[in-house]
Amino acid sequence: MNEDIEIRKKVFIDKLKQSINFKNSKIVYILSFIAITICAWYVRTRNLPLLQGKYLIELDSYFFFRYAKTIFETGTLPAIDFMRYVPEGAATAPYAGFPYVMAYMYKAIHFFAPSIPQITWHVMYPPIITVISLIFFFLFVRELFDKRIAIVATAFLAVIPAYIQRTSAGFADHEAMAMLWIFAALWLFVKAWKSEKITRAVIFGIAS
């Protein structure tokens, strides 16, 4: 009887090991990545009760929110911002890119959920965009190395303190958005570099 139990235990353990083999099982990578993104979201949203959906956590975030709010309400930014360097004002063009992206993303959100205030989108944008950027980071590292290294690297990136600080809820500066575009561009660049067909290389290169 004991021998039968031991044999069954060994067969069960062998099958379990085989089912979670990192070399063969896609489900392990999917579950690992989901766990990482949940962790990344969790640590970046612990301050939400304090922000109450209407407070940002640093000054530049309010600056970009003011520009995005102007774009959303009027459709454009004035050439000169007279609230800076009073009374001469300052040109808005050098800072316009990020507010336009935020304003038009909010327009898309507002179409489907009109009740969500624009300030709430700015509060929630960093963790949302960071979770999306982790997908492109994983794909980028996987192209350079393999899935195991990509999972480990993504896990590290998700919990690096300095990165958390700049991508937490309420930190509505351009870092989170910039990292999304950087990771996506790097992934596409590597795809182009590794492409054997010139057509695919050109398409991925242009996209990058």
Side-chain angles (χ1 to χ4, degrees):
M1 179 67 70
N2 289 336
E3 290 181 1
D4 289 340
I5 294 174
E6 290 300 322
I7 291 172
R8 291 178 182 177
K9 185 192 299 183
K10 186 178 183 303
V11 171
F12 173 77
I13 293 174
D14 289 342
K15 287 183 177 181
L16 183 63
K17 288 180 178 179
Q18 186 178 1
S19 68
I20 62 173
N21 191 316
F22 265 73
K23 293 182 179 179
N24 302 319
S25 180
K26 290 183 180 180
I27 191 66
V28 172
Y29 293 104
I30 294 173
L31 293 176
S32 298
F33 186 81
I34 291 173
I36 290 169
T37 55
I38 290 173
C39 178
W41 175 267
Y42 179 82
V43 297
R44 286 167 172 79
T45 55
R46 293 308 84 209
N47 60 346
L48 281 179
L50 298 174
L51 302 179
Q52 301 176 29
K54 59 183 179 179
Y55 297 117
L56 303 173
I57 61 177
E58 50 95 35
L59 296 179
D60 284 353
S61 297
Y62 280 102
F63 168 72
F64 288 121
F65 170 69
R66 179 165 64 86
Y67 275 20
K69 191 170 188 294
T70 300
I71 294 167
F72 178 74
E73 293 175 350
T74 67
T76 187
L77 272 178
I80 302 297
D81 178 6
F82 288 103
M83 293 181 68
R84 300 178 66 226
Y85 301 108
V86 178
E88 291 84 3
T92 59
Y95 309 98
F98 176 62
Y100 269 102
V101 172
M102 292 294 287
Y104 280 97
M105 290 181 78
Y106 176 67
K107 281 189 177 184
I109 295 169
H110 185 72
F111 179 80
F112 294 102
S115 62
I116 297 177
Q118 189 172 5
I119 187 68
T120 301
W121 159 237
H122 281 249
V123 170
M124 295 302 303
Y125 128 79
I128 293 173
I129 294 298
T130 299
V131 168
I132 297 172
S133 70
L134 291 177
I135 298 172
F136 290 102
F137 179 76
F138 172 82
L139 295 173
F140 164 56
V141 179
R142 188 186 65 175
E143 285 294 327
L144 288 178
F145 301 100
D146 58 35
K147 291 180 180 179
R148 286 172 292 181
I149 293 176
I151 280 290
V152 173
T154 305
F156 272 111
L157 182 65
V159 296
I160 291 174
Y163 195 51
I164 292 173
Q165 190 261 332
R166 308 293 288 192
T167 55
S168 291
F171 202 105
D173 210 328
H174 46 56
E175 284 84 354
M177 188 72 71
M179 297 311 294
L180 169 62
W181 302 131
I182 288 172
F183 293 149
L186 288 172
W187 170 59
L188 290 167
F189 177 80
V190 175
K191 292 282 289 184
W193 188 271
K194 295 174 67 175
S195 296
E196 297 181 357
K197 295 183 178 180
I198 187 65
T199 304
R200 287 172 59 86
V202 169
I203 291 172
F204 283 127
I206 293 173
S208 175

